[in-house]
Amino acid sequence: MKNLKRTTIRNFLAPVFLSIVIMSILTIPLTNAIAPLGEILLPGNGLWRVPGEIQEKEFICEATLNNTITIYRDEWGIPHVYASTEKDASFAFGYLHAQDRMFQMDLMRRLVRGTLSEIIGEDALELDKFNLATGKLFWAQKTVENMIEKADNGEINYLESLIRYCDGVNYFIKTHLDELPIEYAILGFKPTRWTLLDIACLVKYMAEMLTWSYTDLYETIACYNLGSSNFLELFRSTYGQIPVCPNYGSFNLSFHLPFEQGAQIATKSIIDTITYFLSDVKKVESQNLIASVKNQEVIGSNNWVVDGSKTRSGRPILCNDMHLAWTLPGIWYEGHVVITSKSLNLYGFTLPGAPMVIVGHNERIAWGFTNTAYDVMDWYYYEKIDEDQYVYNNSIEQFKIRPYSIAVKNEEPVAFEVKETVHGPVLNEFLGIQEIPTNLNNANIILATKWIAHDVSTLIQAIYGFNHAKNRDDFNQASKYFDCPAQNIVYADINGNIAMRPTGKIPIRDGNGTFIYNGSAGEGEWMGFIDFEDLPQTENPAQGYLVSANQIVAGPEYSRYLLQNDYSTGYRSRRINELINATDDITLEKMKEIQLDVKSTPARALIPFLIDLIENIPSSHQTDVILDIYSLLIQWNYDMDKDLSQPSIYRVWREFYYSYTFDDEFDAFNSEIKPRLDVLERLTRENDSSIWFDDSTTSDRKENRSDIIYKALNASINFLIKYYGTKDVAAWKYGLLHRLEFLHIAPGLDALGKGPFEGDGEQYTVNPSYISINSLGLVSTARFGASERMIVDLNDLENSISVIPSGQRGIVSSRHYSDQLIDLFLHGNYHRQYFYTQPDAFPSNLIESGIIFMATSETSGILFVQSFIICSFCGICVAIFGWKIKKNRSLIRFKKKFEKKSDCVEKQNS
């Protein structure tokens, strides 16, 4: 009996216990950031509310519209908006951006506003503090105030369009709050209203991505440790540079840019302060979606243009591919808009969260961007007196305070204050990620920065002008407002003009901004800004083309101002110049070949030295593997092809050759920056006994170039055998080493990304992608490269093509989440830009879905007619139904009489 009771109790408790476990699993958050599984998985929540594909046809009535808006989506989900007014078009794009990219927009604005902790929790607190301290939100607010004031004074005419864009976003949020991307369910929050401030925040988002820099700090440390002459040799070379603007002369091989001697004044205490600050920053920015990437080959771009003298059609062709982080969804949103009242037909790439085309073309002009890397930021150190005061220019100054309250998920709000110096915010006092050793005398040193984005932005005014420009004069006028981020702006028009203008707001400073300044001594003051007309620019050059790939912007004949302290190696620009120079019969197909080119210029420069060394190795040291490597390298055309083995050999060997040349000196002070690869090329070509080839950790002999090349070869062989698990050199396929990965935009949601995929190229090829390799055998995936590709044919704009490395929609379940990536980008393909001026001209077989927005004034008459028709139809139906009922009743009565009569007959018969 007792056993029966135990069994009964056990049978009763088991499902109860299991239920408790399941309920706990479903109700307890997985992490502080991720919502409980129940909110994600149970019916009615999360996955069950994720938006599906867009309806094939959708009709929406909205009282605030002026007229009907027709929207067609093509087979890639790209919207084509046909509107009568700019305000209506802006409303439509707001709706579309929210429909396709709401979570991405939300994440970007939260990053700038410093409100990630509200949805992620305390893990994001240091990042929020840092973003608030940088001043992006503060100056975004000032930018909105400035736009409102200008609109009130009649100085700008686009503020209403921006407001209508926000209305479009908010209309979508209001009507689709129960159908949100899965990311909202995972993180457990919902979107709030979109405002003008959010648009301004995105301007600062791009400014930080492309201009925020720690280069001055890293180079201060490097110069302090290396000495001025060594620093100058390694960090100011113009070797191999072909300037963006060709009309300011060319560089000879020995030219170096000037630099200041200020780093020699820096004390060890200052260097230690900088070092610990940078270490903290590195940890914070590992979470940052817009973390500054130091390598210009990663955050870079290509653009070029050829005039009619070099094309088969006799008209210009313009190309642009901006190199940024690969994410899903991608940073750019492709779109097409026709505004009949403005006679405007506009196609290009927008930033979700803002209504204007950033790069693209209208029916008369085309334009594109690459980053200039103009020096628009300076760092300062000061002596701190106490919590309220510091020394500036040998006088005591009071800090200005910016107070914030940071909402933290599942916690009380955190009060946070930003201290401001006369130059900008103090950034080294609040992170506190690691404890600074007490033996360092740096407690009274503060670091602050002055940044060009610490100001009201006029970038939106410039972009608006680009969208509406009809000729070069219009475009130049708009370019005057292009402040930050400074860009090499390439231009072409249907009249045959081409141009390049490296444009932005650039400070004139006391000094040239090479190193950190002593703010307490009054160093490094900004005395104004370079006049727009004094910046370099080129129009219709005799050579018939212009190229920018983040190289130096102007030659030595432009000497009035020092514009850059940082620029790319120049390898991409060298290759593009070479390819364009090779022909005067350029077509759209040729431009595709150039954009997709993966021939390595540095490999072509360095591999002959490796081949020469192998040929001179004594036969006793020539192993089978070395001989196999040699036989492959002498056949190689330097293409970084994923199906070849030679790129793997070169890529790993180059890594070791570079490391063995520079690591001994730079690892001694844990440097985060090292010389560019073109410096190693110069040393290899010109100085085989350079001090940099000598291994400073050994004293028994002095190594030369051949020693390091040979040492790198052996290390590479060991690495590759271990990595591939074979000595068969032919099996070392590059695609197994060089893999491309496209992560989800939100940290921690990697499962929503795509890849890795085998890929071509390297960071120095025209078609770039970057992997890192270390001596321990760890190889990263490539996560940076072309964020869009665009080729505009000014002879036939409907012949223009483009592609993005993602998809149009940020909805994970949508076929347009990654279709351009999977079907086009990875295969080097493009799609046509449909540029039809009228919705009626849009071929029906190209339309995947459509939305008709109808103004209330238009719908009232339609509704009356529809109501009349419906009522008439209903009346007829009622009449017919009534007749049928009456008829049915008669039939029933007849049937009953018949049945009754039959019964009587049956009775009589019986």
Side-chain angles (χ1 to χ4, degrees):
M1 190 68 178
K2 288 182 180 180
N3 290 337
L4 180 61
K5 286 183 178 180
R6 288 194 190 101
T7 302
T8 302
I9 293 171
R10 189 184 303 115
N11 291 340
F12 172 76
L13 290 179
V16 172
F17 177 74
L18 183 61
S19 299
I20 293 172
V21 171
I22 293 173
M23 290 298 294
S24 299
I25 292 172
L26 294 176
T27 56
I28 297 174
L30 298 180
T31 68
N32 199 30
I34 297 178
L37 277 176
E39 295 182 15
I40 301 172
L41 300 178
L42 289 180
N45 294 326
L47 284 171
W48 302 88
R49 290 179 176 269
V50 172
E53 296 295 354
I54 293 170
Q55 298 178 40
E56 186 176 343
K57 294 178 182 178
E58 189 174 3
F59 296 88
I60 301 174
C61 297
E62 169 54 31
T64 61
L65 296 176
N66 294 313
N67 287 297
T68 296
I69 306 171
T70 300
I71 302 171
Y72 293 144
R73 287 181 183 263
D74 62 31
E75 70 265 41
W76 301 105
I78 298 167
H80 302 261
V81 177
Y82 296 89
S84 62
T85 68
E86 193 164 75
K87 293 176 186 177
D88 282 355
S90 296
F91 179 93
F93 258 98
Y95 182 91
L96 291 165
H97 279 172
Q99 187 178 44
D100 291 342
R101 301 287 190 91
M102 191 65 238
F103 178 76
Q104 178 186 17
M105 293 161 59
D106 225 334
L107 208 58
M108 289 190 295
R109 71 167 164 180
R110 284 184 174 276
L111 198 68
V112 176
R113 282 174 172 255
T115 58
L116 284 174
S117 297
E118 187 176 18
I119 62 171
I120 293 176
E122 62 182 354
D123 288 346
L125 185 57
E126 298 298 327
L127 180 58
D128 279 345
K129 288 181 179 180
F130 189 77
N131 280 317
L132 289 170
T134 58
K136 296 187 293 292
L137 174 62
F138 178 82
W139 287 106
Q141 291 167 330
K142 295 295 182 184
T143 295
V144 172
E145 294 168 9
N146 180 259
M147 285 195 298
I148 293 172
E149 182 181 345
K150 282 185 172 182
D152 290 343
N153 296 334
E155 297 177 47
I156 60 173
N157 62 350
Y158 54 81
L159 185 65
E160 284 297 321
S161 294
L162 298 182
I163 292 172
R164 290 298 290 150
Y165 173 85
C166 295
D167 291 342
V169 175
N170 294 325
Y171 181 87
F172 179 84
I173 293 174
K174 179 179 69 175
T175 57
H176 292 77
L177 201 57
D178 60 342
E179 295 180 11
L180 296 173
I182 187 61
E183 294 91 336
Y184 282 104
I186 292 173
L187 295 178
F189 77 105
K190 291 186 176 182
T192 55
R193 287 183 59 79
W194 198 260
T195 67
L196 289 174
L197 178 58
D198 296 315
I199 296 176
C201 281
L202 297 189
V203 174
K204 298 302 178 183
Y205 174 94
M206 295 304 296
E208 180 177 8
M209 180 182 289
L210 297 172
T211 67
W212 183 272
S213 172
Y214 303 101
T215 299
D216 292 356
L217 301 181
Y218 284 117
E219 292 193 347
T220 298
I221 296 171
C223 191
Y224 176 85
N225 286 279
L226 295 172
S228 296
S229 60
N230 287 337
F231 179 87
L232 180 62
E233 180 182 11
L234 299 180
F235 286 97
R236 288 296 177 266
S237 172
T238 58
Y239 184 86
Q241 292 288 322
I242 303 173
V244 172
C245 295
N247 48 320
Y248 298 93
S250 57
F251 294 105
N252 62 48
L253 295 181
S254 61
F255 188 87
H256 288 75
L257 294 179
F259 80 108
E260 297 165 317
Q261 302 292 329
Q264 297 306 300
I265 302 172
T267 64
K268 186 177 186 304
S269 182
I270 293 165
I271 296 299
D272 288 340
T273 301
I274 295 171
T275 301
Y276 277 92
F277 167 67
L278 290 173
S279 179
D280 278 347
V281 164
K282 189 175 180 181
K283 293 174 183 176
V284 169
E285 290 205 331
S286 65
Q287 314 169 52
N288 197 343
L289 302 177
I290 48 177
S292 176
V293 180
K294 311 302 178 300
N295 192 327
Q296 278 295 326
E297 303 298 336
V298 174
I299 295 293
S301 300
N302 301 322
N303 67 31
W304 63 90
V305 64
V306 297
D307 68 17
S309 69
K310 295 192 71 66
T311 64
R312 184 176 298 177
S313 69
R315 292 286 184 90
I317 300 177
L318 180 146
C319 302
N320 192 197
D321 54 293
M322 297 178 284
H323 306 161
L324 298 169
W326 285 329
T327 60
L328 288 174
I331 188 170
W332 302 116
Y333 184 93
E334 208 166 346
H336 172 218
V337 60
V338 175
I339 303 173
T340 54
S341 65
K342 296 274 188 178
S343 298
L344 181 65
N345 190 1
L346 184 65
Y347 193 109
F349 297 92
T350 65
L351 183 68
M356 299 172 189
V357 170
I358 308 298
V359 298
H361 64 89
N362 60 31
E363 68 277 13
R364 301 190 64 84
I365 71 160
W367 73 97
F369 298 151
T370 68
N371 207 31
T372 62
Y374 278 163
D375 188 358
V376 295
M377 187 173 180
D378 285 324
W379 289 87
Y380 302 82
Y381 65 89
Y382 314 82
E383 179 188 351
K384 176 182 171 183
I385 303 299
D386 53 35
E387 293 304 311
D388 301 313
Q389 301 175 105
Y390 66 103
V391 176
Y392 162 66
N393 199 16
N394 300 310
S395 299
I396 296 178
E397 288 282 339
Q398 296 284 324
F399 289 114
K400 292 181 180 179
I401 303 296
R402 281 193 276 122
Y404 295 98
S405 178
I406 303 175
V408 182
K409 188 175 185 178
N410 301 324
E411 303 285 347
E412 292 296 316
V414 174
F416 175 57
E417 289 186 343
V418 178
K419 294 179 181 177
E420 292 263 7
T421 69
V422 294
H423 296 116
V426 176
L427 295 176
N428 69 314
E429 283 202 315
F430 57 83
L431 292 178
I433 294 174
Q434 63 177 341
E435 191 171 334
I436 299 175
T438 55
N439 62 326
L440 295 179
N441 182 28
N442 56 9
N444 65 336
I445 297 173
I446 55 172
L447 305 178
T449 185
K450 188 174 182 67
W451 181 31
I452 204 73
H454 288 157
D455 202 349
V456 166
S457 176
T458 56
L459 183 72
I460 294 174
Q461 189 168 352
I463 298 295
Y464 182 81
F466 292 169
N467 285 199
H468 291 79
K470 291 181 168 58
N471 51 51
R472 182 63 183 160
D473 288 341
D474 290 350
F475 199 86
N476 276 337
Q477 188 62 34
S479 298
K480 293 178 180 179
Y481 299 100
F482 200 96
D483 51 2
C484 179
Q487 298 289 287
N488 298 302
I489 307 177
V490 67
Y491 169 93
D493 62 39
I494 60 173
N495 296 319
N497 298 300
I498 66 170
M500 185 80 74
R501 188 184 280 276
T503 299
K505 190 175 182 181
I506 317 302
I508 302 170
R509 47 171 68 85
D510 178 19
N512 64 25
T514 306
F515 304 117
I516 192 169
Y517 286 116
N518 184 347
S520 290
E523 294 178 355
E525 294 299 334
W526 289 12
M527 301 176 290
F529 302 94
I530 300 175
D531 187 77
F532 175 76
E533 298 298 340
D534 288 338
L535 289 168
Q537 62 103 15
T538 302
E539 294 187 15
N540 298 320
Q543 66 187 28
Y545 71 93
L546 293 163
V547 175
S548 80
N550 316 111
Q551 75 271 35
I552 199 164
V553 297
E557 293 174 20
Y558 183 88
S559 56
R560 185 168 183 180
Y561 301 106
L562 181 65
L563 301 171
Q564 298 163 286
N565 283 318
D566 195 16
Y567 39 88
S568 79
T569 59
Y571 287 127
R572 285 179 286 115
S573 66
R574 281 197 236 173
R575 178 62 178 160
I576 298 168
N577 273 274
E578 175 189 356
L579 291 169
I580 293 176
N581 266 322
T583 178
D584 290 335
D585 188 36
I586 294 176
T587 62
L588 207 71
E589 287 300 314
K590 181 62 179 177
M591 289 304 201
K592 286 167 63 175
E593 290 177 18
I594 297 176
Q595 274 195 337
L596 300 172
D597 185 78
V598 291
K599 193 176 295 295
S600 173
T601 299
R604 195 162 50 177
L606 297 173
I607 284 296
F609 291 90
L610 175 57
I611 291 174
D612 181 69
L613 178 124
I614 294 175
E615 289 174 342
N616 289 283
I617 292 176
S619 58
S620 59
H621 290 75
Q622 289 186 342
T623 65
D624 290 341
V625 172
I626 290 178
L627 292 175
D628 289 343
I629 286 173
Y630 175 78
S631 65
L632 284 175
L633 290 180
I634 60 174
Q635 303 172 44
W636 188 31
N637 66 355
Y638 305 110
D639 282 348
M640 302 296 285
D641 187 325
K642 65 179 183 295
D643 295 321
L644 299 178
S645 300
Q646 293 96 325
S648 302
I649 298 165
Y650 155 71
R651 184 64 185 84
V652 174
W653 169 78
R654 193 197 77 204
E655 196 76 28
F656 281 105
Y657 181 39
Y658 181 93
S659 295
Y660 290 153
T661 302
F662 296 118
D663 281 3
D664 50 328
E665 288 86 6
F666 283 84
D667 285 354
F669 55 96
N670 298 314
S671 178
E672 288 291 332
I673 62 164
K674 292 175 184 177
R676 297 191 311 260
L677 187 61
D678 57 302
V679 175
L680 180 60
E681 179 193 348
R682 174 170 55 83
L683 294 175
T684 302
R685 288 181 182 274
E686 299 179 357
N687 190 356
D688 62 354
S689 59
S690 168
I691 62 169
W692 304 106
F693 291 127
D694 180 35
D695 185 351
S696 62
T697 63
T698 62
S699 57
D700 55 333
R701 64 187 298 267
K702 182 178 180 180
E703 289 81 8
N704 59 25
R705 180 188 65 201
S706 296
D707 295 325
I708 301 303
I709 290 175
Y710 184 57
K711 181 180 179 182
L713 173 62
N714 287 323
S716 303
I717 291 170
N718 293 333
F719 179 99
L720 290 163
I721 290 173
K722 181 178 179 181
Y723 185 86
Y724 288 98
T726 178
K727 291 184 178 182
D728 181 4
V729 175
W732 298 349
K733 301 300 183 185
Y734 185 52
L736 300 176
L737 178 77
H738 186 85
R739 298 177 302 152
L740 319 180
E741 190 169 20
F742 302 78
L743 297 180
H744 189 273
I745 192 172
L749 299 184
D750 294 353
L752 303 182
K754 297 290 181 180
F757 306 99
E758 296 182 11
D760 303 322
E762 64 158 340
Q763 68 195 92
Y764 302 110
T765 51
V766 177
N767 178 11
S769 51
Y770 170 75
I771 62 169
S772 64
I773 302 171
N774 69 23
S775 58
L776 299 177
L778 299 177
V779 180
S780 72
T781 52
R783 299 175 182 178
F784 301 86
S787 62
E788 52 77 44
R789 293 186 183 123
M790 175 182 72
I791 304 176
V792 182
D793 184 351
L794 276 299
N795 182 60
D796 180 6
L797 290 167
E798 292 188 10
N799 194 39
S800 301
I801 56 177
S802 53
V803 68
I804 55 176
S806 57
Q808 191 68 6
R809 306 197 68 206
I811 309 301
V812 177
S813 58
S814 172
R815 62 177 169 270
H816 297 309
Y817 180 64
S818 59
D819 56 342
Q820 289 199 52
L821 167 66
I822 303 298
D823 299 336
L824 299 176
F825 186 85
L826 292 173
H827 304 285
N829 295 325
Y830 299 70
H831 65 78
R832 180 183 159 202
Q833 295 183 350
Y834 302 125
F835 200 57
Y836 299 105
T837 56
Q838 298 291 334
D840 294 342
F842 213 107
S844 59
N845 65 308
L846 300 179
I847 299 172
E848 182 179 86
S849 63
I851 303 175
I852 304 295
F853 279 101
M854 303 181 73
T856 303
S857 58
E858 292 182 299
T859 59
S860 57
I862 296 171
L863 289 173
F864 174 79
V865 174
Q866 288 176 338
S867 298
F868 177 78
I869 293 171
I870 291 170
C871 289
S872 300
F873 177 75
C874 289
I876 293 169
C877 289
V878 168
I880 294 171
F881 185 65
W883 177 78
K884 284 190 173 183
I885 291 175
K886 185 176 181 181
K887 184 178 179 181
N888 287 340
R889 285 174 178 170
S890 299
L891 289 171
I892 292 169
R893 285 197 297 270
F894 175 78
K895 185 178 181 182
K896 286 182 177 179
K897 287 181 180 179
F898 176 80
E899 289 174 349
K900 189 173 181 181
K901 187 176 179 180
S902 298
D903 289 342
C904 293
V905 171
E906 286 181 6
K907 287 179 180 179
Q908 288 176 354
N909 292 336
S910 62

